Amino acid sequence: MEQIRIHGRGGQGVVTAAELIALAAFYDGHEAQAFPNFGVERSGAPIQSFARIDNQAIITREQIYEPSVLIIQDSTLIGNVDVFQGISKKTKIIINATKNNWSHLHLKSKHLYFSPATEIALKILGKNIVNTVILGALVKYTGLISLKSLEKAVQTKFANKGTEIIKKNIAALKMIDKI
Amino acid sequence: MISKNKKQILEGSNAIALTIKNIAPAVVSAFPITPQTHIVEDLAKMKADGLASFEYIRAESEFAAASIVLGASATGVRVYSATSSQGLLLMTEVVFNIAGMRLPVVMTVANRSVSAPINIWNDHGDAMAVRDAGWIKFFASNHQESVNQHILAYKIAEKLQLPVMINVDGFILTHSYEPVIIPDDKTIKKYLPVYQPPTGTYLDPKNPVTLGAFFGPNNYLETRQMLHEDLMSSLEIIKEEYKLLNKTLANQGANHQRQKLSRIDNGLIEYYGPQKPKTILIAMGSVIGTILETIKNFKDVGLLKIKVYRPFPAEEIVKIIKPAQNIAVLEKAISLGQSGPLYADLAATVMASKIKKNLNLKNYIVGLGGRDITQKMIKEIIKDAPQKNNYLKFIGKI
């Protein structure tokens, strides 16, 4: 079972990111689950969300304490929140950042990836909602979900937001290859 | 004809809203409160988009919402409401009236803790606050069960003229995504006919009746006894209807084939585990999956899931727990100054059945105010269950 934990702040699309992962995994033919851990209900508050992918029905509902994939949507959380809790040598970590500034943390995992998601999101979406950009990185670095299914997930999830938003977010999914 | 009964991945709240749309109540009334909000927002949107035929009446409070569905139900139409926590508490007076007037109201409670201190997260404190109101109370442990229980609820409610409350854990079920089948309206209609109560049982200017009238000391006791006895006899009907629902859904290609893990499943309870367990854990709601995942590694531990909490399926429970030496009741509620309410029910059941004098019956209070319940905690409980120590423990360390 793949267990994905996402850290970010309220307003950055953290909950939606986990939902998009579950939707895409389901469209790929897997069993999937996504759920949030809301903090206080306000923008900027640290927030987590979780997604699980498996080939058999997922029944556990505990939060994810030993992630196989860790996504950090807001690097200012590092040092303030224990975002690296439960990582192992194998955990793949994707951080919204321009470069590796965390060698001093001596992380167990060597699978560290970076995506300048804020920069890209501001350019494409005009807002610091980095989830779709960083999910593009998830596809590229983990292969857990297909880009095609992720596009379909964006279309489904953002159906009420209009074609313009859908188009921009699908473009955002593909930006990782253009860096 | 192509069946629309296909497996989708949906948010729990959305799954409930889509099911209610297909059940087609005449009147929906609610007041938004976290974590029930998504359910009623989705229903309001369906109405605004012209996808639903019900009347959606916006209420100024939960007290009003409950009163509106009471009134609508009294005129003989199918109704729906949903609430949580403080909202349910504000409805309390009306909730008791609905049962006393024998109105087949169906309501979802997205379970959340009760203030103070203010906390928006999940536990069963709200459901337990109206435990004695005279409603049938279902507890769902996953999306498919929640969907199916809503359909079952209307059938039971309308057949027996009893209100039914479906409890779904706030956030854990209402805000999570998982695969589920929403039976389409045709499938539902095959099981749940159009609601038409007999003339003379509802408010109708052509056939005037009084509902909820004055009863003095000579009659009140009997009405409570009748309500109690009708609730108790609903146990058998729930079992029958559960079987019939599953059969109908299977025939229409709407049975979600989750792995069949339970040994016994009759609509009231489910039992997972060995035939002769040493220890049985008992729980309700969304924690069932996490417990099940945990006990896979324990050969002599079983899990009893309570799906119908009121009326209390004591006889079914006794049959299951008979061989066990240790019973651990895990619950997300505390009757302050006593124990968990489910534990008290179990203790009464064990006493009345005289199954075992030296049965080790223990109570673990978990998950209050949204505290995560981990597999580690459950392992700890399994280890503690046979110990002769405090019968009541709060387990909070993640």
Side-chain angles (χ1 to χ4, degrees):
Chain A
M1 180 159 62
E2 295 292 340
Q3 306 201 87
I4 302 139
R5 189 172 77 214
I6 308 171
H7 291 269
R9 295 182 185 275
Q12 294 175 335
V14 176
V15 175
T16 305
E19 292 168 0
L20 289 170
I21 293 170
L23 258 64
F26 179 76
Y27 299 146
D28 280 337
H30 302 295
E31 291 282 339
Q33 176 199 60
F35 60 103
N37 178 22
F38 282 112
V40 286
E41 291 177 293
R42 62 178 161 81
S43 287
I47 187 171
Q48 293 172 56
S49 65
F50 312 94
R52 289 190 171 96
I53 304 172
D54 206 349
N55 290 322
Q56 50 186 354
I58 299 160
I59 55 172
T60 188
R61 293 187 194 279
E62 71 174 338
Q63 292 171 11
I64 292 172
Y65 297 95
E66 291 174 355
S68 54
V69 176
L70 178 69
I71 296 175
I72 300 167
Q73 286 197 181
D74 191 321
S75 63
T76 65
L77 291 169
I78 298 172
N80 291 314
V81 175
D82 188 10
V83 290
F84 297 112
Q85 187 204 13
I87 61 164
S88 71
K89 271 184 195 168
K90 287 180 183 166
T91 306
K92 290 179 176 166
I93 304 171
I94 303 169
I95 305 179
N96 170 13
T98 44
K99 55 178 192 251
N100 185 350
N101 286 332
W102 291 281
S103 56
H104 63 282
L105 294 173
H106 304 290
L107 295 176
K108 255 189 203 166
S109 167
K110 300 297 165 216
H111 307 280
L112 233 69
Y113 307 98
F114 300 91
S115 162
T118 300
E119 209 181 297
I120 297 168
L122 287 174
K123 210 156 93 189
I124 296 186
L125 306 167
K127 278 181 191 164
N128 184 22
I129 303 181
V130 296
N131 54 10
T132 40
V133 182
I134 218 153
L135 290 182
L138 177 78
V139 170
K140 178 170 175 171
Y141 298 125
T142 72
L144 282 182
I145 46 175
S146 69
L147 187 62
K148 199 178 144 206
S149 293
L150 192 52
E151 278 183 35
K152 188 177 162 192
V154 166
Q155 280 164 353
T156 310
K157 183 74 195 158
F158 296 162
N160 290 329
K161 294 186 189 291
T163 48
E164 195 59 25
I165 299 274
I166 291 173
K167 228 170 96 185
K168 282 181 178 172
N169 276 285
I170 287 176
L173 294 176
K174 296 170 182 168
M175 280 310 289
I176 191 77
D177 282 330
K178 293 178 185 148
I179 298 160
Chain B
M1 197 198 76
I2 302 159
S3 167
K4 283 188 281 177
N5 294 325
K6 64 171 200 295
K7 193 157 89 168
Q8 316 173 57
I9 183 160
L10 295 174
E11 190 201 42
S13 295
N14 190 228
I16 292 169
L18 287 166
T19 307
I20 294 302
K21 179 183 77 106
N22 291 349
I23 287 170
V27 174
V28 174
S29 186
F31 188 82
I33 180 169
T34 301
Q36 152 264 38
T37 333
H38 290 186
I39 302 171
V40 297
E41 279 174 358
D42 283 358
L43 286 168
K45 190 168 187 314
M46 286 168 195
K47 175 65 184 171
D49 291 348
L51 300 170
S53 56
F54 51 73
E55 222 26 77
Y56 189 102
I57 304 175
R58 289 190 295 167
E60 74 271 24
S61 71
E62 284 89 355
F63 184 86
S67 302
I68 289 164
V69 293
L70 180 154
S73 181
T75 68
V77 299
R78 186 175 285 166
V79 300
Y80 177 74
S81 189
T83 192
S84 295
S85 181
Q86 309 307 121
L88 182 61
L89 266 61
L90 190 55
M91 285 184 178
T92 307
E93 183 184 330
V94 190
V95 165
F96 275 75
N97 271 312
I98 287 169
M101 292 166 77
R102 302 292 303 255
L103 297 171
V105 172
V106 171
M107 179 160 75
T108 311
V109 175
N111 299 112
R112 163 183 156 184
S113 68
V114 170
S115 296
I118 193 163
N119 173 293
I120 60 166
W121 293 271
N122 165 246
D123 69 32
H124 293 163
D126 53 4
M128 293 305 165
V130 296
R131 183 190 62 180
D132 302 332
W135 288 51
I136 292 173
K137 289 184 190 70
F138 291 170
F139 278 83
S141 61
N142 57 58
H143 292 189
Q144 194 63 60
E145 188 166 70
S146 148
V147 163
N148 295 4
Q149 282 186 352
H150 278 82
I151 304 167
L152 182 63
Y154 277 95
K155 184 71 170 285
I156 298 292
E158 290 166 7
K159 200 168 178 177
L160 302 178
Q161 298 288 301
L162 286 168
V164 184
M165 184 181 292
I166 303 101
N167 291 281
V168 293
D169 283 323
F171 291 114
I172 302 170
L173 293 180
T174 57
H175 287 58
S176 61
Y177 275 71
E178 67 184 31
V180 62
I181 291 175
I182 309 297
D184 63 13
D185 47 356
K186 285 197 185 79
T187 302
I188 289 177
K189 222 170 240 172
K190 281 206 160 69
Y191 174 73
L192 181 70
V194 173
Y195 177 51
Q196 181 52 57
T199 308
T201 62
Y202 58 93
L203 299 180
D204 175 8
K206 286 178 205 145
N207 298 287
V209 288
T210 302
L211 297 178
F214 182 83
F215 271 51
N218 290 341
N219 311 96
Y220 183 83
L221 187 143
E222 282 73 19
T223 66
R224 299 320 268 180
Q225 186 182 353
M226 275 163 62
L227 183 51
H228 172 72
E229 285 170 359
D230 284 357
L231 276 164
M232 293 315 287
S233 60
S234 75
L235 286 165
E236 280 309 308
I237 296 161
I238 295 170
K239 272 164 75 176
E240 280 166 28
E241 284 295 339
Y242 180 72
K243 235 189 248 172
L244 186 62
L245 173 65
N246 285 339
K247 209 174 141 193
T248 312
L249 294 180
N251 286 341
Q252 299 301 313
N255 60 334
H256 183 179
Q257 289 290 358
R258 286 181 79 89
Q259 289 160 295
K260 198 67 198 165
L261 299 163
S262 57
R263 192 182 281 278
I264 295 163
D265 173 13
N266 60 19
L268 303 173
I269 53 133
E270 258 178 74
Y271 175 71
Y272 310 82
Q275 226 150 13
K276 287 184 180 159
K278 250 191 203 145
T279 300
I280 292 181
L281 308 186
I282 302 182
M284 306 196 289
S286 66
V287 72
I288 291 297
T290 311
I291 299 176
L292 198 50
E293 187 71 42
T294 313
I295 65 164
K296 276 180 185 170
N297 306 316
F298 292 84
K299 271 192 196 133
D300 52 5
V301 178
L303 166 63
L304 175 61
K305 158 169 142 185
I306 311 285
K307 300 205 277 193
V308 177
Y309 177 62
R310 283 292 181 272
F312 196 64
E315 219 174 284
E316 308 288 333
I317 291 170
V318 168
K319 273 188 232 161
I320 302 290
I321 64 174
K322 233 176 199 168
Q325 199 55 54
N326 314 299
I327 305 290
V329 181
L330 282 70
E331 53 187 320
K332 292 182 178 179
I334 173 86
S335 171
L336 296 165
Q338 163 55 20
S339 67
L342 178 58
Y343 177 84
D345 293 329
L346 248 299
T349 301
V350 169
M351 269 306 275
S353 69
K354 302 184 175 76
I355 35 174
K356 234 178 218 150
K357 271 204 178 114
N358 57 347
L359 185 72
N360 199 14
L361 184 62
K362 294 178 76 169
N363 195 190
Y364 299 91
I365 308 299
V366 290
L368 298 189
R371 180 75 55 91
D372 195 25
I373 303 171
T374 63
Q375 295 189 37
K376 207 176 126 206
M377 285 178 183
I378 294 161
K379 281 180 196 156
E380 212 177 286
I381 290 168
I382 292 170
K383 212 170 125 193
D384 187 75
Q387 310 296 323
K388 306 266 185 231
N389 50 23
N390 286 349
Y391 74 89
L392 174 69
K393 282 185 180 174
F394 287 75
I395 307 289
K397 212 177 141 208
I398 292 170

